[in-house]
């Protein structure tokens, strides 16, 4: 080594993940200004770049996105359905302005189909990387990896996304895509980058901490020791912020997984991941990470300007707002989700009726026409990781286009599956894992580890949920009836359901794309909007109730807006609501 050889390189990785089109600080459902959005990160990114340039020696800055950028708000739906594709994609314009260096794919980036994604990719200056998804024929706009020269370093980037989460799209994507398992794709890709001379390998892993359905295997990828830095996502958790205790190689104080620096940025642009690396080169010319510093940065609300974000999105934003303000129908009752985790709601009744009518029309005259048509609906926007504002609250009166997008946040398709009575019991039992077993005083009703969209209510039947029985037990769902008659295991039904669930989303038993008997080219939003415009009423019956447990006390969390609707849960004898430190309401109930 000569005297002028560079022996130290300093790198700063800035990362976003799961932005889900939360770009401007605007809630398209309510029209209100909110304190989250990529525009809040714009001045922070500029500040961190400036600080890096002023360090001695200067620190190289690389800005990455870890997927699920393109879907999640009405702005995304409007751009996908109405924007002129002869022009550049507005989100690509924004990312070009912010100087993103590389983007990994998330499962929801595929929601609008490959032609849409290709339009975005052609507009984006940064490479889009996916190491375990390939198109057929092989495209030149999705790269298996990317490698850059930064100072004296060669830095390689890999990206993986969970195959299971993409299953619901396979019917639309068909043979156009093939997928490999995430862990092996990372191993093979890392070895290939090393052979190409990469000194540092960064894994953009659209996956989080371990769970049963194999969507989240971040820890396993870290354990392989093939990656120098991991950026996680998908689960809408944050790391190291959301983890407080060490366990099996997870060291939140250092931001390490199996001794590898790792960051999971806060979803919906609520925070920016920052990883500083100091690399040293030994006498053999090999670089290694000598020091790492992992940090999640949540910017305080401010009036700092975000000119790049606002100018890139101005036209699309204005057009979206005008489109969303169009009235399409009325509701004779409030539509809210404050109690969607603990009882059926008017929102679910409306969506269920729309789905059932559409499938009944399709089955008419077929060999399935004599079977009862049921309708399965999950609980949209019901708190959880989205926080105390993550609820629907539509007052009695006009229903506007923005309300439809609020009720159906994801652009799923309406499908139908053929289901037996035994299959219905398994379906309901699996969903009821969302509710805890009642026990000692102080036990809550809702399992916070299971998101609201994995708790289905099925309309067209009636049943009770016994919270004295353990989650997953055979006797948790009781009194299952259809038209007042007990459902036998061999009875058959047609169930209207969205494509995400039908393809296995949420790990429900008996699901899979091969089980769908009808796959009409109807999005869930199209079906709901048509139903509202027709003026047809929602489903009037209440499909399920809790079994009387003899007056056991419990509680659940909901948003502050629930105070205006407490009469809806009179049958649960609600106690005095108490605010929690993180902005929710804790409401005691009696079963």
């Amino acid at each position: 080594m000569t005297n002028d050889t560079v022996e130290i390189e300093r790198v700063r990785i800035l990362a976003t993940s799961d932005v889900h089109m939360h770009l401007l600080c605007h809630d398209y459902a309510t029209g209100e200004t909110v304190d989250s959005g990529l525009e809040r990160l714009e001045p922070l990114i500029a500040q961190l770049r400036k600080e890096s340039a002023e360090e001695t020696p200067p620190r190289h800055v690389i800005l990455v996105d870890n997927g699920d950028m393109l879907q999640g708000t009405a702005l995304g739906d409007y751009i996908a359905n109405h924007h002129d594709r002869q022009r550049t994609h507005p989100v690509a314009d924004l990312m070009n302005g912010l100087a993103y260096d590389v983007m990994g794919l998330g499962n929801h980036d595929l929601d609008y189909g490959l032609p849409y994604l290709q339009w975005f990719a052609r507009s984006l200056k940064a490479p889009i990387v996916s190491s375990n998804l390939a198109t057929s024929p092989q495209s030149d706009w999705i790269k298996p990896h990317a490698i850059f020269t930064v100072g004296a370093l060669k830095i390689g980037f890999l990206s993986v996304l969970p195959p299971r989460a993409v299953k619901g799209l396979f019917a639309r994507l068909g043979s156009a895509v093939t997928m490999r398992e995430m862990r092996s794709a990372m191993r093979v890709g890392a070895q290939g980058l090393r052979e190409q001379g990469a000194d540092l390998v960064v894994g953009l892993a659209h996956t989080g901490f371990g769970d049963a359905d194999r969507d989240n295997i971040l820890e396993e990828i870290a354990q392989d020791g093939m990656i120098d830095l991991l950026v996680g996502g998908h689960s809408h958790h944050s790391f190291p912020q959301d983890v407080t205790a060490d366990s099996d190689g997870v060291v939140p104080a250092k931001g390490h997984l199996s001794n590898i620096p790792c960051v999971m940025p806060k979803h919906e642009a609520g925070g920016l991941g920052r990883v500083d690396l100091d690399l040293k080169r030994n006498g053999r010319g090999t670089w290694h990470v000598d020091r790492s510093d992992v940090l999640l940065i949540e910017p305080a609300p401010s009036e700092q300007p975000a000119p790049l974000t606002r100018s890139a999105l101005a036209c699309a934003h204005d057009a979206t707002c005008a489109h969303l303000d169009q009235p399409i129908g009325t509701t004779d009752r409030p539509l809210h989700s404050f109690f969607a985790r603990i009882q059926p709601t008017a929102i679910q009744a409306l969506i269920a009726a729309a789905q059932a009518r559409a499938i009944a029309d399709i089955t008419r005259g077929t060999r399935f026409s004599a079977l009862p048509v049921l309708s399965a609906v999950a609980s949209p926007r019901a708190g959880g990781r989205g926080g105390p504002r993550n609820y629907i609250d539509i007052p009695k009166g006009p229903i506007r286009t923005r309300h439809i997008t609020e009720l159906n946040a994801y652009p799923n398709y309406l499908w139908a599956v053929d289901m037996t009575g035994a299959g219905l019991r398994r379906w309901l039992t699996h969903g009821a894992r969302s509710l805890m077993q009642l026990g000692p005083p102080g036990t809550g009703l809702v399992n916070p580890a299971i998101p609201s969209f994995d708790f289905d209510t099925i309309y067209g039947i009636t049943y009770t949920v016994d919270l004295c029985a353990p989650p997953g037990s055979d006797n948790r769902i009781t009194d299952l009836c259809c038209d007042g008659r007990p459902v036998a295991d061999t009875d058959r039904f047609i169930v209207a359901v969205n494509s995400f669930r039908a393809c296995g989303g949420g790990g429900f038993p008996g699901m899979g794309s091969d089980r769908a008997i009808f796959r009409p080219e109807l999005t869930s939003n199209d079906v709901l909007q048509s139903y509202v415009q027709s003026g047809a009423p929602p489903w009037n019956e209440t499909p399920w109730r809790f079994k009387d447990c003899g007056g056991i006390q419990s509680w659940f969390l909901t948003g502050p807006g629930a105070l205006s609707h407490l009469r809806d849960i009179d049958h649960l004898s609600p106690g005095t609501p108490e605010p929690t430190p993180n902005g929710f309401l804790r409401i005691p109930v009696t079963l």
Side-chain angles (χ1 to χ4, degrees):
M1 297 177 63
T2 61
N3 290 333
D4 61 350
T5 300
V6 177
E7 295 182 341
I8 296 177
E9 286 286 5
R10 293 150 61 83
V11 178
R12 169 168 285 175
I13 304 291
L14 302 179
T16 55
S17 187
D18 299 271
V19 172
H20 282 291
M21 287 300 291
H22 288 259
L23 306 177
L24 297 168
C25 297
H26 182 84
D27 186 332
Y28 288 95
T30 64
E32 298 175 353
T33 299
V34 294
D35 60 2
S36 65
L38 194 59
E39 71 169 300
R40 286 184 61 222
L41 301 186
E42 180 182 329
L44 177 59
I45 292 169
Q47 174 191 335
L48 291 170
R49 282 188 169 127
K50 182 175 182 294
E51 290 176 0
S52 300
E54 294 172 349
E55 290 188 26
T56 304
R59 191 177 290 277
H60 306 292
V61 178
I62 299 173
L63 177 61
V64 304
D65 182 75
N66 191 33
D68 278 6
M69 172 68 78
L70 300 178
Q71 181 281 330
T73 70
L75 177 63
D77 292 339
Y78 184 85
I79 293 172
N81 296 318
H82 301 286
H83 199 79
D84 181 3
R85 297 193 184 184
Q86 297 304 310
R87 301 165 59 189
T88 56
H89 195 292
V91 181
D93 291 340
L94 167 59
M95 295 180 72
N96 292 339
L98 294 175
Y100 273 87
D101 294 288
V102 63
M103 176 181 177
L105 272 186
N107 50 296
H108 286 295
D109 294 321
L110 298 162
D111 278 354
Y112 301 116
L114 289 180
Y116 178 82
L117 184 58
Q118 184 175 13
W119 169 43
F120 170 78
R122 298 295 188 199
S123 305
L124 187 67
K125 293 179 181 178
I128 295 179
V129 175
S130 184
S131 308
N132 71 325
L133 179 145
T135 60
S136 180
Q138 183 67 40
S139 67
D140 61 350
W141 46 274
I142 297 179
K143 312 290 186 184
H145 60 262
I147 191 165
F148 305 112
T149 300
V150 178
L153 296 172
K154 280 189 174 181
I155 303 181
F157 291 87
L158 301 169
S159 172
V160 292
L161 72 165
R164 187 185 182 99
V166 182
K167 278 187 176 181
L169 301 169
F170 282 171
R172 281 178 278 163
L173 301 175
S175 59
V177 299
T178 56
M179 295 202 69
R180 291 189 295 154
E181 190 270 327
M182 289 187 283
R183 191 175 181 180
S184 62
M186 276 289 195
R187 284 198 301 260
V188 172
Q191 181 177 347
L193 285 174
R194 302 288 186 196
E195 292 170 355
Q196 294 182 55
D199 301 300
L200 184 75
V201 176
V202 179
L204 305 180
H206 194 77
T207 180
F209 289 99
D211 61 10
D213 64 9
R214 305 298 296 161
D215 270 4
N216 296 300
I217 61 167
L218 194 62
E219 294 149 292
E220 296 177 31
I221 293 173
Q223 288 165 6
D224 287 339
M226 302 289 288
I227 309 295
D228 298 306
L229 164 64
L230 276 171
V231 180
H234 182 60
S235 65
H236 292 197
H237 284 118
S238 300
F239 183 79
Q241 178 178 293
D242 286 350
V243 181
T244 57
D246 295 0
S247 64
D248 297 329
V250 181
V251 186
K254 290 185 176 181
H256 279 188
L257 295 184
S258 297
N259 296 316
I260 294 172
C262 175
V263 68
M264 292 179 67
K266 193 170 183 180
H267 68 287
E268 297 181 0
L272 184 71
R274 192 220 71 188
V275 182
D276 286 349
L277 301 175
D278 290 351
L279 292 97
K280 288 187 176 181
R281 184 162 55 183
N282 60 28
R284 297 184 302 276
T286 301
W287 290 94
H288 68 278
V289 175
D290 181 63
R291 189 187 71 87
S292 66
D293 183 30
V294 179
L295 186 64
L296 278 176
I297 308 175
E298 296 186 23
S302 70
E303 298 300 323
Q304 288 182 281
L308 294 172
T309 307
R310 290 182 173 272
S311 62
L313 300 173
C315 291
H317 170 73
D318 291 344
T320 300
C321 291
H323 172 70
L324 293 176
D325 203 42
Q326 298 173 2
I328 60 170
T330 60
T331 174
D332 62 356
R333 68 197 73 183
L335 301 173
H336 65 83
S337 61
F338 293 115
F339 310 126
R341 300 302 302 265
I342 62 166
Q343 69 177 24
T345 67
I347 290 174
Q348 293 171 312
L350 179 62
I351 297 173
Q355 293 182 166
R357 187 180 75 172
I359 293 301
D361 289 343
I362 292 168
T363 60
R364 191 171 293 116
T366 72
R367 62 189 178 91
F368 299 101
S369 59
L371 297 181
V373 175
L374 313 181
S375 191
V377 188
S379 309
R381 289 189 61 180
R385 297 169 196 166
R389 294 174 56 93
N390 186 37
Y391 291 89
I392 297 168
D393 192 7
I394 302 170
K396 182 171 67 173
I399 295 180
R400 302 184 184 277
T401 303
R402 69 169 177 267
H403 296 141
I404 299 299
T405 61
E406 186 180 10
L407 295 174
N408 271 320
Y410 296 98
N412 291 305
Y413 278 68
L414 175 63
W415 286 7
V417 296
D418 180 10
M419 190 63 59
T420 65
L424 282 180
R425 292 179 189 278
R426 289 191 293 269
W427 186 336
L428 296 170
T429 299
H430 184 83
R433 296 177 308 126
S434 176
L435 298 162
M436 303 291 283
Q437 181 180 15
L438 293 180
T443 303
L445 273 180
V446 176
N447 183 347
I450 298 177
S452 64
F453 56 77
D454 278 344
F455 178 33
D456 285 353
T457 290
I458 299 183
Y459 283 75
I461 52 177
T462 57
Y463 52 100
T464 60
V465 179
D466 185 355
L467 296 190
C468 293
S473 64
D474 291 341
N475 56 344
R476 184 153 245 221
I477 302 299
T478 63
D479 304 321
L480 180 59
C481 296
C482 181
D483 292 330
R485 181 181 64 83
V487 172
D489 286 351
T490 55
D491 289 346
R492 292 179 61 206
F493 305 88
I494 303 299
V495 187
V497 65
N498 67 43
S499 53
F500 169 77
R501 181 72 76 240
C503 284
F508 280 68
M511 295 296 180
S513 56
D514 57 330
R515 292 295 308 273
I517 55 174
F518 293 103
R519 301 177 184 177
E521 287 296 312
L522 294 171
T523 69
S524 299
N525 279 356
D526 291 340
V527 169
L528 181 57
Q529 181 159 331
S530 174
Y531 192 83
V532 169
Q533 287 174 324
S534 74
W539 218 299
N540 286 322
E541 70 180 28
T542 299
W544 68 269
R545 295 181 181 274
F546 289 125
K547 186 174 182 178
D548 188 335
C549 292
I552 293 180
Q553 303 290 315
S554 188
W555 58 270
F556 71 100
L557 297 180
T558 186
L563 289 174
S564 301
H565 304 285
L566 287 178
R567 195 172 293 177
D568 292 359
I569 56 171
D570 277 348
H571 61 289
L572 296 176
S573 303
T576 303
E578 298 177 357
T580 68
N582 55 359
F584 286 95
L585 281 183
R586 187 181 190 271
I587 301 182
V589 291
T590 302
L591 285 84

